[in-house]
Amino acid sequence: MKKIFKILKWISVVLLVILLIGIGYVRFSRMLDYSFGGNTDTSYKVLETKLEYKDLYFDLDSEIRIHGVLFKPDTTEIIATIYHHLGQGLTAEYTKQFYKPLLDNGFQVFAVERRGDGNSNGISNNLLTLKKDALSVFDSFIERKDVKNKPIIIWGQSLGGAFATMNASERNDKINGLIIEGTFNSLTRVGQHFVPQIKYLIPLILNDDFPAEKEIKKITQSIVIIHSEDDDQIPITLGEELYNASNKTNTSFWKIRGEHIEGILNYEKEYITKFKQLIKK
């Protein structure tokens, strides 16, 4: 009997070691990063739109070139720039539907496509690399003559909300405000939402490179968090948790109805008012 227990003990030890090695490998190899940044074939040849726009390219090194599209008002004088961090796998070809009312009210909008999305090359399999990309492109973009000396508002939707919060936190003194919609408070929490079967393992195997709950506290500019109670992709509870972690003196929470990140389509006037209020403060 003692021999049996001894064997079982050693089996348990071996299994535990294998589990720990597996957890360490998944975490440090950053295997799960691809789940958030993984690419699909989203490239397009020419943007099909009647909106006035200009393609911009940012060379980060000899191999990586990030693409973005700067949409401009037709006749209205530019009152501010909206720097738009897009949702996972989205491109300017998709998000162009959001921009006309903003352009009509004097905003120019820059939609940046992350590495491997749209007409940006590379592979987005490392969130730290994507974070570095985002800040490098932002720093280059705000040096443009048609951007300097005008208010800048960062806008992020869904996964783009995590990038937007990070961007605003890291460049707080360069912006006038932040608007985020349908986003979450941490990669860990959204990972637990999508894979509840292993929710206790998620903090061990996933690198939380975008801890929005911590980053949002560093932002002193005005923040608007928007979330639909009908959102079936990112539950409103995660948006509420992010709001609860924020500084209430400069942050507001706007609860809406409708599909995931379609607020500007359903609440056009109210949405534009939120942007205008940020540049007046």
Side-chain angles (χ1 to χ4, degrees):
M1 184 65 71
K2 289 183 179 180
K3 187 176 181 180
I4 293 175
F5 280 114
K6 188 175 182 180
I7 292 172
L8 290 175
K9 178 181 177 181
W10 278 109
I11 291 175
S12 298
V13 171
V14 170
L15 290 176
L16 179 60
V17 170
I18 292 173
L19 177 62
L20 292 175
I21 291 174
I23 289 173
Y25 176 76
V26 172
R27 185 179 182 92
F28 294 108
S29 67
R30 309 188 72 89
M31 288 178 62
L32 295 182
D33 283 23
Y34 194 80
S35 300
F36 292 96
N39 305 126
T40 56
D41 184 11
T42 57
S43 62
Y44 52 92
K45 292 183 179 180
V46 179
L47 197 66
E48 297 182 4
T49 180
K50 294 181 179 179
L51 302 176
E52 181 181 341
Y53 74 92
K54 183 176 183 179
D55 289 299
L56 303 180
Y57 292 91
F58 301 83
D59 293 314
L60 302 186
D61 56 40
S62 60
E63 298 180 350
I64 300 301
R65 175 177 256 199
I66 301 299
H67 173 250
V69 182
L70 180 59
F71 295 84
K72 287 180 168 290
D74 289 339
T75 56
T76 311
E77 181 183 353
I78 296 171
I79 61 173
T81 299
I82 297 173
Y83 192 95
H84 192 195
H85 286 281
L86 314 186
Q88 183 178 13
L90 298 185
T91 70
E93 177 62 36
Y94 176 83
T95 59
K96 65 187 181 185
Q97 63 180 311
F98 301 143
Y99 301 147
K100 190 176 187 307
L102 295 167
L103 301 175
D104 289 343
N105 280 271
F107 293 96
Q108 63 177 357
V109 184
F110 178 62
V112 58
E113 297 168 346
R114 286 188 288 277
R115 181 181 296 223
D117 287 333
N119 291 322
S120 296
N121 65 356
I123 301 174
S124 57
N125 58 358
N126 187 308
L127 288 171
L128 288 180
T129 300
L130 296 182
K131 178 178 178 179
K132 183 179 179 181
D133 289 354
L135 293 175
S136 295
V137 172
F138 179 81
D139 290 340
S140 296
F141 175 77
I142 63 175
E143 291 302 315
R144 290 178 55 87
K145 291 182 180 180
D146 52 358
V147 175
K148 273 187 171 183
N149 303 319
K150 290 187 182 293
I152 297 175
I153 300 170
I154 294 180
W155 182 26
Q157 295 173 298
S158 196
L159 179 61
F163 280 85
T165 303
M166 176 279 298
N167 192 165
S169 174
E170 295 285 343
R171 301 293 186 265
N172 180 73
D173 61 329
K174 304 292 185 182
I175 67 170
N176 293 74
L178 169 69
I179 292 182
I180 46 181
E181 180 186 354
T183 191
F184 45 84
N185 52 324
S186 72
L187 293 180
T188 298
R189 287 289 289 118
V190 78
Q192 290 175 326
H193 165 68
F194 282 111
V195 196
Q197 299 86 348
I198 58 168
K199 65 178 183 179
Y200 298 111
L201 276 179
I202 292 294
L204 300 176
I205 62 178
L206 178 63
N207 296 282
D208 194 359
D209 299 312
F210 291 82
E213 283 186 338
K214 297 179 181 178
E215 292 170 330
I216 202 168
K217 296 178 188 295
K218 303 175 186 177
I219 303 170
T220 59
Q221 306 293 359
S222 296
I223 304 169
V224 180
I225 300 174
I226 305 170
H227 216 117
S228 172
E229 55 186 309
D230 304 317
D231 196 324
D232 59 358
Q233 295 192 38
I234 306 295
I236 192 172
T237 52
L238 300 189
E240 290 172 335
E241 288 177 17
L242 180 58
Y243 173 68
N244 291 337
S246 69
N247 300 313
K248 305 303 180 298
T249 55
N250 66 320
T251 307
S252 63
F253 188 86
W254 180 25
K255 183 189 295 185
I256 61 174
R257 303 299 301 263
E259 299 297 320
H260 181 60
I261 65 168
E262 291 189 357
I264 197 165
L265 301 180
N266 301 323
Y267 298 86
E268 181 181 304
K269 292 182 179 179
E270 296 91 333
Y271 219 115
I272 291 170
T273 297
K274 298 293 183 184
F275 278 112
K276 287 184 174 179
Q277 288 173 340
L278 292 186
I279 63 176
K280 291 179 180 178
K281 293 184 178 180

